[in-house]
Amino acid sequence: MLEQYKPALKQGVTMTVVGLLIFFVTYAIDPLFLAKPKGWMVLIVVNMLALPIYFLIIGAKACKPNFDYYSFGKAFNAAFFTGVVAAVLTLAFNVVFVNVIDTNWEAEMAEEVLNSTEAFMEKMGAPQDAIDKAMDDARSQAANKPKGFMAQLQSTGGGLLWYAVIALIIALVQRDKEPKDSLVIE
């Protein structure tokens, strides 16, 4: 049974490798890039749209020849399995990264997000008292957010929900409409 989904596993690993390569390049250029507005856009376009859509489609399409009848459920499983593999591998990397490789990165990112938000509000002409209140509220919320493994786990859960939505759409498109060997008996 799992042998039929092996192409999805391969695409999940490939998706992770591509995502990590992109991360390493941006991190080498500017470790806090992803906390800045341009970094947010890159994160959304690349990590939430381009990579998952492309690799979940390829993962589902690569599994299709392994089934006589590619039902909605099988197509969904193939696409979603691609995302699950990528999510689990990325979670493992992220936990090692924030707990071993760069233990200050998570806190520095949070501070940079606050700085970028404050600069944006100033640029938009917000009154200083509104900026101060917004920053105080944001710091209070940030203090209550999970950190380390729990933050990474929460992020992975959100990613899996997003991958499930993408997988549902892919399954609708890639499924066989009816069994290939269906016979009409009169």
Side-chain angles (χ1 to χ4, degrees):
M1 175 76 167
L2 287 177
E3 189 67 28
Q4 294 169 312
Y5 293 104
K6 197 171 186 178
L9 170 77
K10 180 181 175 192
Q11 293 307 316
V13 170
T14 305
M15 179 174 151
T16 304
V17 170
V18 171
L20 289 178
L21 287 174
I22 292 167
F23 171 77
F24 288 135
V25 168
T26 58
Y27 182 81
I29 294 168
D30 179 0
L32 301 178
F33 175 72
L34 296 176
K36 299 172 183 173
K38 286 181 184 176
W40 300 340
M41 293 307 296
V42 168
L43 190 66
I44 290 168
V45 170
V46 174
N47 289 358
M48 292 186 66
L49 296 172
L51 290 180
I53 291 170
Y54 177 78
F55 283 103
L56 270 65
I57 288 172
I58 299 302
K61 186 175 272 189
C63 291
K64 190 171 186 170
N66 296 338
F67 297 94
D68 292 331
Y69 172 60
Y70 204 47
S71 67
F72 173 83
K74 291 173 183 171
F76 172 81
N77 288 343
F80 188 60
F81 185 56
T82 301
V84 168
V85 169
V88 168
L89 293 174
T90 301
L91 172 64
F93 169 78
N94 288 344
V95 167
V96 170
F97 184 80
V98 300
N99 290 304
V100 178
I101 298 171
D102 190 345
T103 55
N104 297 320
W105 186 73
E106 197 173 30
E108 291 170 357
M109 286 286 288
E111 191 60 35
E112 184 62 31
V113 167
L114 291 172
N115 293 339
S116 294
T117 303
E118 185 173 14
F120 178 75
M121 290 178 75
E122 287 171 354
K123 184 178 176 182
M124 298 306 293
Q128 190 60 46
D129 59 328
I131 293 172
D132 292 342
K133 178 164 178 15
M135 291 297 98
D136 288 343
D137 290 347
R139 281 188 174 84
S140 176
Q141 288 176 352
N144 294 326
K145 281 188 173 181
K147 303 202 181 14
F149 178 73
M150 290 309 295
Q152 298 305 317
L153 194 58
Q154 188 177 47
S155 176
T156 300
L160 287 172
L161 288 174
W162 178 240
Y163 294 164
V165 170
I166 295 171
L168 287 168
I169 296 166
I170 291 168
L172 281 171
V173 173
Q174 290 197 9
R175 67 183 165 86
D176 289 335
K177 306 303 183 246
E178 57 185 61
K180 294 175 186 168
D181 61 348
S182 64
L183 298 173
V184 178
I185 301 174
E186 296 182 28

